[in-house]
Structure formats: structure tokens, C-alpha cells
């Protein structure tokens, strides 16, 4: 299940030992390993996948290098991260125009795009060549000019058939300005 996004932490550059434990159970470690961290860079570590023998997607941390540079002008920078274990590759489109913001994003993949700041309804669709697949979910997002955001597609499309009863959701984090 995808619950929350924390604020950035300042850590020394170098190889950092990371441990991820089950929520509310610090004694149950689900990942332990080293993550390289460069100076003057921003990173997001997303806990993704499933724990257990019946996992569709094995649990692993997604280590993402963030681009928090100023998008400039009236633009906002938006990153999409596919972290829904039972969802196929997706296209993400703008409802009002049908324009594709992201094309063919598979589980574990991410990417950035820039759009004018404003309010949008984004549609999550099954991946097709013409970006017009069936809409499986839509979400309203508000993006301020000059800011950077990450949208995590998480949860399950069919939670009744999965190990956790966590419905599909889009979790939007503001990476710059107002924080997360």
C-alpha cells in the first residue's frame, strides 16, 4: 500500500545504508541495502511492489533522481511514477484536450514532462499506440507555475483479487516550493 510521502532529508554524499520496515513494525525488515547518494542532488526512494510469495511484482525500492531545477516561465514540471503492481503499462492524458502527457509508462518506470501551471483532470488509460485506450481512472490535479511535482500511480486496479485491499490512486507530491 502507498500511504504517504515524506519531506526531503539532508544526508552526507556517499553510499547510504537504507532499511525499509513494515509500517508499525520496526522489527520486520522488508529491504536492507546500500543506495549511492551524490552531492548536490535530490532523490526520492519509493517503496514499491509487494511482500510475500504471491507477489505480482517483487518488493523493491525505486531510487529516483529528482529534477528540481526551475521549470521557468509559466511552466510546472510533472513526473509520473508507475507503482501499481497489477496495472499494465499506461498512457496519461489530459481530459480536456486528449493530449498525452506520458506514453506507455510501465510498472517501475518514471518520466518528466512540463506543462503550463493550472488545474487539470488527468486520465489513466491502458497503453495504446494512439493513446486512446479505456480510461481506468481520472484525477484532478492543480499545478503551480515554477514548481515541480511527482505523481505516484499506486494501489490496485482490482484490489479484491490482490493481497492488500488498496484501491488504485494517484498520490501527488510537491517536490519544490510548498514541500510535501
Amino acid at each position: 500500500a502507498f500511504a504517504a510521502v515524506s519531506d526531503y532529508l539532508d544526508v552526507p554524499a556517499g553510499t547510504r545504508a537504507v532499511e525499509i520496515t513494515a509500517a508499525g513494525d520496526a522489527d520486520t525488515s522488508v529491504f536492507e541495502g546500500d543506495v549511492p547518494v551524490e552531492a548536490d542532488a535530490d532523490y526520492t526512494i519509493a517503496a514499491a511492489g509487494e511482500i510475500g510469495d504471491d507477489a505480482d511484482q517483487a518488493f523493491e525500492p525505486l531510487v529516483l533522481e529528482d529534477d528540481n531545477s526551475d521549470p521557468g516561465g509559466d511552466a510546472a514540471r510533472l513526473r509520473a511514477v508507475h507503482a501499481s503492481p497489477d496495472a499494465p503499462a499506461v498512457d496519461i492524458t489530459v481530459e480536456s484536450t486528449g493530449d498525452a502527457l506520458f506514453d506507455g509508462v510501465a510498472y517501475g518506470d518514471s518520466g518528466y514532462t512540463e506543462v503550463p501551471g493550472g488545474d487539470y483532470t488527468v486520465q489513466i488509460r491502458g497503453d495504446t499506440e494512439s493513446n486512446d485506450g479505456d480510461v481506468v481512472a481520472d484525477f484532478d490535479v492543480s499545478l503551480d507555475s515554477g514548481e515541480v511535482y511527482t505523481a505516484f500511480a499506486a494501489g490496485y486496479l482490482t484490489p479484491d483479487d490482490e493481497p492488500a485491499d488498496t484501491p488504485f490512486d494517484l498520490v501527488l507530491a510537491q517536490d519544490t516550493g510548498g514541500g510535501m
Side-chain angles (χ1 to χ4, degrees):
F2 193 94
V5 179
S6 70
D7 291 333
Y8 282 108
L9 301 173
D10 289 329
V11 298
T15 300
R16 315 308 316 162
V18 172
E19 182 178 15
I20 300 174
T21 60
D25 183 4
D27 294 331
T28 301
S29 179
V30 295
F31 172 81
E32 196 167 354
D34 292 335
V35 174
V37 177
E38 294 183 12
D40 301 319
D42 297 326
Y43 297 90
T44 295
I45 300 177
E50 303 163 293
I51 300 165
D53 295 335
D54 297 327
D56 292 324
Q57 298 287 351
F59 181 86
E60 63 178 343
L62 300 178
V63 181
L64 310 170
E65 186 167 356
D66 302 343
D67 180 0
N68 288 332
S69 63
D70 185 351
D74 294 330
R77 184 176 299 117
L78 177 65
R79 174 172 55 186
V81 180
H82 187 326
S84 174
D86 72 331
V90 297
D91 298 326
I92 303 176
T93 58
V94 177
E95 181 182 58
S96 61
T97 63
D99 292 344
L101 297 177
F102 300 95
D103 182 17
V105 182
Y107 176 82
D109 286 349
S110 64
Y112 280 105
T113 192
E114 292 185 6
V115 296
D119 297 330
Y120 295 88
T121 298
V122 296
Q123 301 167 312
I124 312 296
R125 301 172 175 268
D127 179 32
T128 63
E129 189 171 327
S130 53
N131 304 317
D132 61 354
D134 291 340
V135 176
V136 297
D138 57 66
F139 302 94
D140 294 328
V141 297
S142 183
L143 308 175
D144 292 335
S145 297
E147 303 299 344
V148 180
Y149 300 84
T150 298
F152 297 91
Y156 292 106
L157 288 178
T158 56
D160 292 344
D161 299 329
E162 301 296 343
D165 186 20
T166 306
F168 188 81
D169 198 6
L170 192 73
V171 179
L172 185 68
Q174 186 171 348
D175 299 340
T176 58
M180 291 177 276

